[in-house]
Amino acid sequence: MVSIQDQVVLITGASSGIGAACARLFAQSGAKLLLAARRLDRLEQMAAELQKTAGSQVHTVELDVRDRSQVEATLNRLPSPWADVDILVNNAGLSRGLDKLYEGSFQDWEEMIDTNIKGVLYMSRLVVPGMVRRGRGHVITIGSVAGHQTYPNGNVYCATKAAVRALSEGLKLDLLGTPVRVSSVDPGLVETEFSEVRFRGDAERAQTVYQGLTPLTPDDIAEVVFFCATRPPHVNVSEVLVFPTDQSSATLVHRRD
Ligand code: NDP
Ligand code: 8X3
């Protein structure tokens, strides 16, 4: 395992779920954290917690990854040492709705496409040139089983995650010859705020997604992200598909009740 002590780790969507778990895990290993999300209050709370528990150096930024000019302005005015990102965790993402494509909401589609695809593009386009210039870096993107298999009513969300998978692959191809690594970590069902966001705050419906099975936890995924980041420089973990044992495909889930 290679140390990530003092490396600058930029995590998008660090205010909840997988992103928050990554922040906590990377903090324990002495990384300098650059945490981004729209809910700055949550990031500040986490920064205070990590400073207290792990003595971490944390910088927080309020960021909507859909907003290209905001992303540009924010990344271009990062103070030292935060501007020199060593590890970018492209985690911010969401699903909206679970509707038949021919009945879907234009607004939901645009929100998913703008966050999941354009957000990853903007972040990568603005962060990777510095990595290439400095001769070090790692981009780790949170994809999904949904990018491997389309499920009924998943249409546009699945399409965004298939796009993320293609972008991750494309970035890796384009970085050949540089030391910059690219990994895609693609989970199945993880219990986070994801389903509540998908169903716009309907907690009861969100709960049914995980009912009767043991889902992955955000920490399970953070550990995989951390594993990718701590391999020796000659090892690039390209793609990892992680399921709960109770799930064997995008649609096949074993429920006990
Ligand atoms: P959560 O809803 O718990 O977290 C999503 C995070 O994304 C939040 O921190 C949210 O922060 C951030 N986010 C959403 N939109 C934006 C935006 N426009 N700009 C900046 N940040 C944004 O869900 P998860 O932790 O589960 O999701 C993380 C990633 O994992 C997503 O890409 C998701 O698609 C993927 N994933 C999730 C799975 C699951 O079953 N949970 C399975 C497979 C993949 P804020 O609202 O404060 O901006
Ligand atoms: C999130 C997992 O199965 O709800 O990407 O699409 S799923």
Side-chain angles (χ1 to χ4, degrees):
M1 185 177 119
V2 168
S3 168
I4 53 152
Q5 175 87 34
D6 289 330
Q7 292 205 21
V8 175
V9 181
L10 166 49
I11 303 171
T12 64
S15 60
S16 173
I18 296 169
C22 288
R24 291 198 174 93
L25 189 55
F26 279 90
Q28 282 165 25
S29 293
K32 292 188 169 94
L33 291 170
L34 174 49
L35 305 181
R38 292 165 302 176
R39 288 171 291 180
L40 188 60
D41 54 331
R42 285 202 184 195
L43 296 181
E44 284 174 346
Q45 229 175 328
M46 173 171 300
E49 172 200 318
L50 298 179
Q51 276 149 5
K52 198 168 152 200
T53 57
S56 310
Q57 292 185 55
V58 186
H59 185 70
T60 57
V61 287
E62 182 176 348
L63 188 69
D64 185 336
V65 296
R66 295 171 298 179
D67 184 340
R68 178 158 61 93
S69 49
Q70 194 196 57
V71 174
E72 265 178 304
T74 305
L75 293 180
N76 288 337
R77 61 163 185 256
L78 286 170
S80 174
W82 310 105
D84 293 346
V85 175
D86 294 302
I87 300 170
L88 166 63
V89 182
N90 270 324
N91 163 76
L94 83 182
S95 65
R96 287 293 197 191
L98 196 57
D99 304 306
K100 292 187 188 303
L101 191 139
Y102 60 85
E103 293 170 349
S105 141
F106 292 123
Q107 194 195 330
D108 286 352
W109 295 354
E110 276 159 18
E111 198 175 351
M112 290 187 279
I113 290 166
D114 288 352
T115 310
N116 300 357
I117 304 179
K118 291 187 186 172
V120 165
L121 277 172
Y122 298 156
M123 293 302 301
S124 305
R125 176 65 183 86
L126 287 160
V127 171
V128 173
M131 292 178 168
V132 173
R133 230 177 12 253
R134 291 185 295 278
R136 54 188 278 172
H138 196 161
V139 180
I140 304 174
T141 298
I142 308 300
S144 171
V145 58
H148 296 251
Q149 298 163 343
T150 303
Y151 52 83
N153 302 328
N155 45 70
V156 176
Y157 177 70
C158 297
T160 65
K161 288 299 183 179
V164 162
R165 192 169 170 221
L167 292 175
S168 205
E169 188 183 1
L171 183 60
K172 184 163 58 79
L173 298 176
D174 294 343
L175 283 167
L176 184 66
T178 79
V180 180
R181 298 184 287 181
V182 182
S183 304
S184 184
V185 174
D186 302 347
L189 290 165
V190 189
E191 190 162 9
T192 62
E193 293 174 16
F194 177 86
S195 294
E196 261 195 76
V197 171
R198 167 170 256 173
F199 302 128
R200 295 195 180 273
D202 184 342
E204 212 172 306
R205 187 171 178 201
Q207 201 52 48
T208 63
V209 175
Y210 313 106
Q211 218 153 36
L213 68 113
T214 307
L216 295 168
T217 67
D219 289 340
D220 294 327
I221 301 307
E223 278 173 23
V224 178
V225 172
F226 187 77
F227 177 85
C228 294
T230 52
R231 291 312 89 205
H234 69 286
V235 179
N236 183 42
V237 180
S238 209
E239 193 173 73
V240 190
L241 186 55
V242 193
F243 284 109
T245 308
D246 285 337
Q247 181 180 22
S248 58
S249 78
T251 49
L252 272 177
V253 173
H254 174 67
R255 296 185 199 271
R256 281 170 205 85
D257 45 62

